[in-house]
Amino acid sequence: MECQSCHSKKATVHLTEIVGNKEKRELHLCEQCAQQHGTGTSGMEIMGLISSAFGPAAKTAGPETAEQKCSSCGLAYSEFRSRGRLGCPQCYEVFRASLEPLLEKIHGSGRHVGKAPGGPPAGDRSREKHLVALRRQLQAAVKGENYELAAKLRDDLRKAEIAAEATDADR
């Protein structure tokens, strides 16, 4: 995606503003234009945003965590708090007790479910593929005049569609 300010570089900073209940405005900027607009992405700025957004809840580390260090890279939790970045994959395990509440507050969940750009979540895609496959099989069965199989596929398709509607209603 192209930067909406300079129109020459790739946009790496994506800002979304919610206006009212339904309208959403998006701004896509490259790193340089984002810094010019005062919305850079340095670790300190991100940690500042997290702290301001969640207040004291974002500062979940107690004195014992602040003194804790990663055995792999030697990063102390207090250093992570000031830099805004972990040092290595092992840090996630070492600081797990402090990171989990922080990540849950930021992302709204402790479990990553993934998302496809511009499309439905990954689970919805596999459900849609299954429904499409059932519809094709049903058409082939009708075309081949295999009406018993077609009736079974029709019933399976109805069950799958009802389950999909129930899942969508729960969201």
Side-chain angles (χ1 to χ4, degrees), residues 8-138:
S8 63
K9 296 180 184 166
K10 183 178 177 187
T12 58
V13 178
H14 307 279
L15 304 172
T16 303
E17 178 184 9
I18 307 298
V19 181
N21 287 336
K22 295 184 180 180
E23 187 182 342
K24 152 174 111 166
R25 287 187 219 155
E26 294 182 342
L27 181 62
H28 307 282
L29 303 169
C30 66
E31 184 69 32
Q32 288 177 335
C33 292
Q35 288 177 354
Q36 289 173 356
H37 283 83
T39 55
T41 58
S42 73
M44 290 301 291
E45 290 174 18
I46 291 172
M47 289 308 292
L49 286 172
I50 292 169
S51 294
S52 66
F54 300 110
K59 299 176 183 175
T60 57
E64 68 281 350
T65 307
E67 300 306 316
Q68 211 173 17
K69 287 190 174 192
C70 176
S71 59
S72 180
C73 68
L75 180 78
Y77 187 80
S78 58
E79 194 177 344
F80 156 69
R81 297 279 305 154
S82 67
R83 284 190 344 190
R85 293 186 195 157
L86 295 171
C88 70
Q90 184 64 31
C91 289
Y92 287 94
E93 293 302 319
V94 173
F95 304 125
R96 177 182 290 276
S98 297
L99 291 175
E100 282 180 343
L102 178 66
L103 293 173
E104 284 181 27
K105 286 231 180 243
I106 292 170
H107 298 292
S109 174
R111 182 172 174 260
H112 177 71
V113 292
K115 185 177 177 184
D124 290 351
R125 284 194 312 272
S126 63
R127 180 178 62 199
E128 283 301 316
K129 285 182 181 179
H130 177 68
L131 290 174
V132 168
L134 283 174
R135 288 183 188 114
R136 285 184 182 152
Q137 289 173 5
L138 176 60

Side-chain angles (χ1 to χ4, degrees), residues 149-164:
L149 177 60
K152 181 191 176 311
L153 290 169
R154 178 202 60 209
D155 294 341
D156 291 347
L157 182 60
R158 282 187 185 156
K159 287 178 189 175
E161 289 173 335
I162 290 170

